[in-house]
């Protein structure tokens, strides 16, 4: 199977669905049957070996589950995919006839493991999907794909599943959309799909995250689907039934990726206005830094330190208090002011220490 071609054929809604973990033959068959009737699922996923953060959690049924997964796929005409994390997994999965392999986030973060898998796949023609590493490191993600490419694997797909953070207020794994966007820029020939299940860690936000990914030009989604989600042996709180998946997919809006000629006039006009504003912002920032330099000179001559924490605190809170009426989020205001402040400090530092 050429996975990349299939993804292209699906025109941005390639769907990977199936349980977090394969639990029994009956479970995976039930799920495959329900998924095959809605007609939208293109690839059946099922974890056989589960890399769990803490010991004593369910770590997957192991190789015994491979024929259940492959059998369910064959029975309901769905190609199947599973996660591999070492050579033994690769060998068993290939022997069992698994159609697509994927590298999990914890594996992508480990170049030794990735290299071992890449070496085991030399001369094998199989599609491989690579999840982002658990830490927000774009190069580690790209590096994993490069290791596979160097081993001759050409049918590669990336999966965005968010990044580990301590106590995120909203998500299990923070989406940091700027990273997959940078990935698209650097690895434009590798299709990328989104895994809202592991980003959200719950059911209620799946729709929103899936929609957002499509609006950012992702080419599909991977969503964990279980016949009895509440009773799932792993990731119960984020799994949904095949029926819920169908409603979620039906509610997704697939917007155009290319702007039509007749729409271009309006967009071009607005873009010109934005460019004018950006030009002004740039000029103002230049002027701001020029004044920061003057202050830097004055501080140098009078022996005053650069950082004036009280003044900075006042400035920050003044603009943060305008967050609501300005329509700018507190996070944005904070990040913007921090960047400007840091640049001013760098300027003053240069002025103070010249010569
Ligand atoms: C999974 O897909 O079930 C899984 C373990 O995902 P991740 O590697 O993204 O944590
Ligand atoms: Mn899972």
């Amino acid at each position: 199977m050429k996975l990349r071609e299939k993804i292209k054929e699906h025109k941005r809604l390639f769907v990977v669905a199936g349980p977090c973990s394969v639990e029994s033959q009956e479970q995976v068959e039930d799920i495959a049957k329900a998924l095959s009737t809605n007609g939208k699922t293109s690839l059946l996923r099922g974890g056989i070996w589960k890399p769990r953060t803490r010991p004593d959690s369910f770590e997957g049924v192991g190789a015994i589950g491979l024929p259940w997964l492959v059998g369910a796929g064959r029975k309901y005409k769905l190609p199947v995919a599973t996660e591999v994390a070492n050579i033994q997994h690769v060998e068993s999965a290939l022997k069992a006839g698994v159609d697509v392999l994927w590298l999990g986030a914890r594996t992508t973060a480990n170049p030794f493991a990735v290299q071992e898998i890449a070496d085991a796949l030399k001369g094998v023609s199989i599609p491989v999907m690579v999840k982002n590493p658990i830490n927000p490191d774009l190069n580690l993600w790209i590096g994993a794909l490069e290791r596979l490419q160097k081993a001759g694997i050409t049918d590669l797909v990336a999966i965005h599943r968010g990044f580990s953070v301590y106590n995120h207020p909203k998500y299990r794994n923070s989406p940091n959309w700027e990273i997959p966007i940078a990935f698209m820029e650097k690895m434009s020939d590798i299709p990328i799909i989104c895994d809202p299940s592991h980003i959200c860690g719950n059911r209620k936000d799946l729709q929103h995250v899936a929609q957002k990914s499509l609006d950012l030009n992702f080419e599909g989604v991977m969503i964990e689907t279980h016949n009895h989600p509440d009773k799932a042996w792993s990731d119960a709180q984020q799994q949904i039934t095949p029926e819920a998946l169908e409603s979620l997919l039906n509610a997704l809006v697939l917007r155009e990726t290319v702007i039509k000629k007749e729409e271009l006039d309006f967009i071009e006009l607005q873009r010109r206005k934005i460019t004018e504003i950006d030009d002004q912002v740039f000029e103002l920032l230049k002027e701001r830094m020029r004044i920061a330099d003057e202050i830097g000179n004055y501080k140098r001559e009078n022996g005053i330190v650069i950082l004036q924490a009280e003044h900075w605190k006042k400035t920050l809170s003044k603009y943060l208090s305008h967050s609501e009426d300005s329509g700018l989020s507190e996070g944005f205001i904070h990040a913007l002011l921090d960047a400007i402040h840091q640049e001013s400090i760098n300027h003053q530092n240069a002025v103070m220490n010249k010569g």
Side-chain angles (χ1 to χ4, degrees):
M1 179 180 63
K2 278 266 170 271
L3 185 60
R4 292 164 59 117
E5 280 161 25
K6 275 194 97 172
I7 290 181
K8 290 281 170 238
E9 277 166 28
H10 278 77
K11 298 220 166 33
R12 303 184 49 237
L13 197 48
F14 183 80
V15 178
V16 187
C20 176
S21 301
V22 168
E23 297 165 10
S24 68
Q25 181 172 9
E26 196 192 354
Q27 173 242 20
V28 67
E29 281 201 7
D30 245 29
I31 297 169
K33 183 176 178 191
L35 289 175
S36 71
T37 54
N38 85 20
K40 288 211 163 120
T41 299
S42 302
L43 181 60
L44 175 68
R45 65 152 280 155
I48 294 289
W49 301 280
K50 303 302 299 178
R52 305 310 297 276
T53 304
R54 305 278 300 270
D56 305 326
S57 320
F58 169 62
E59 296 196 310
V61 291
I64 193 180
L66 286 167
W68 305 340
L69 175 66
V70 175
R74 301 289 184 268
K75 190 160 170 189
Y76 295 103
K77 304 205 164 29
L78 288 169
V80 301
T82 203
E83 172 176 349
V84 289
N86 60 37
I87 298 182
Q88 291 76 31
H89 297 165
V90 171
E91 283 170 358
S92 310
L94 292 178
K95 214 161 109 197
V98 170
D99 304 286
V100 176
L101 306 177
W102 88 76
L103 267 53
R106 292 158 194 79
T107 305
T108 308
N110 178 353
F112 286 138
V114 175
Q115 191 58 52
E116 179 183 306
I117 293 167
D119 291 341
L121 286 173
K122 274 195 184 128
V124 180
S125 163
I126 190 162
V128 181
M129 306 192 289
V130 180
K131 291 202 177 196
N132 62 259
I134 39 176
N135 51 326
D137 185 336
L138 175 61
N139 282 328
L140 205 48
W141 195 3
I142 292 177
L145 286 149
E146 286 170 342
R147 286 178 196 277
L148 291 160
Q149 278 171 335
K150 278 176 183 283
I153 308 290
T154 52
D155 199 7
L156 291 165
V157 171
I159 304 176
H160 171 45
R161 51 77 81 197
F163 304 91
S164 282
V165 278
Y166 182 63
N167 271 348
H168 193 285
K170 188 166 162 67
Y171 295 113
R172 175 177 176 191
N173 289 295
S174 167
N176 292 56
W177 295 103
E178 68 280 11
I179 296 176
I181 290 171
F183 180 93
M184 292 177 199
E185 218 178 279
K186 292 204 167 166
M187 303 296 274
S188 52
D189 58 331
I190 295 192
I192 177 165
I193 66 171
C194 182
D195 170 351
S197 302
H198 291 90
I199 290 177
C200 297
N202 66 49
R203 295 173 195 149
K204 72 173 172 40
D205 295 319
L206 291 175
Q207 183 84 47
H208 163 75
V209 169
Q211 182 65 52
K212 177 146 186 183
S213 72
L214 293 185
D215 289 338
L216 290 175
N217 274 346
F218 281 66
E219 302 196 49
V221 288
M222 175 190 258
I223 294 181
E224 287 186 338
T225 319
H226 197 285
N227 47 349
H228 301 291
D230 287 332
K231 295 194 178 131
W233 296 359
S234 58
D235 288 352
Q237 63 295 352
Q238 72 198 28
Q239 301 206 59
I240 55 174
T241 60
E243 294 71 33
L245 175 69
E246 192 175 356
S247 319
L248 184 155
L249 296 173
N250 285 337
L252 287 175
V253 185
L254 264 183
R255 291 179 244 268
E256 296 294 331
T257 53
V258 197
I259 301 172
K260 291 199 205 80
K261 233 177 148 206
E262 62 270 26
E263 295 159 344
L264 211 56
D265 285 350
F266 174 77
I267 296 209
E268 284 296 331
L269 180 69
Q270 301 303 95
R271 278 182 180 164
R272 274 200 295 276
K273 288 187 202 162
I274 285 186
T275 305
E276 274 172 30
I277 294 174
D278 286 347
D279 287 348
Q280 291 175 31
V281 169
F282 227 83
E283 283 309 313
L284 286 172
L285 284 172
K286 263 165 57 188
E287 179 60 7
R288 192 190 193 286
M289 294 309 152
R290 200 190 53 73
I291 296 173
D293 287 347
E294 279 179 11
I295 299 179
N297 266 319
Y298 187 84
K299 286 179 178 165
R300 172 190 162 113
E301 280 156 21
N302 295 282
I304 305 168
V305 294
I306 295 178
L307 182 64
Q308 298 295 317
E310 267 314 301
H311 174 68
W312 176 239
K313 228 167 105 181
K314 270 196 214 142
T315 308
L316 250 184
S317 63
K318 171 181 158 193
Y319 291 104
L320 285 174
S321 70
H322 291 313
S323 160
E324 214 153 288
D325 44 273
S326 65
L328 303 171
S329 69
E330 285 193 9
F332 172 72
I333 294 176
H334 220 299
L336 178 69
L337 290 177
D338 274 348
I340 293 174
H341 187 222
Q342 188 56 53
E343 183 69 7
S344 292
I345 289 175
N346 293 347
H347 267 252
Q348 294 194 1
N349 202 28
V351 166
M352 271 201 182
N353 296 300
K354 73 176 175 236

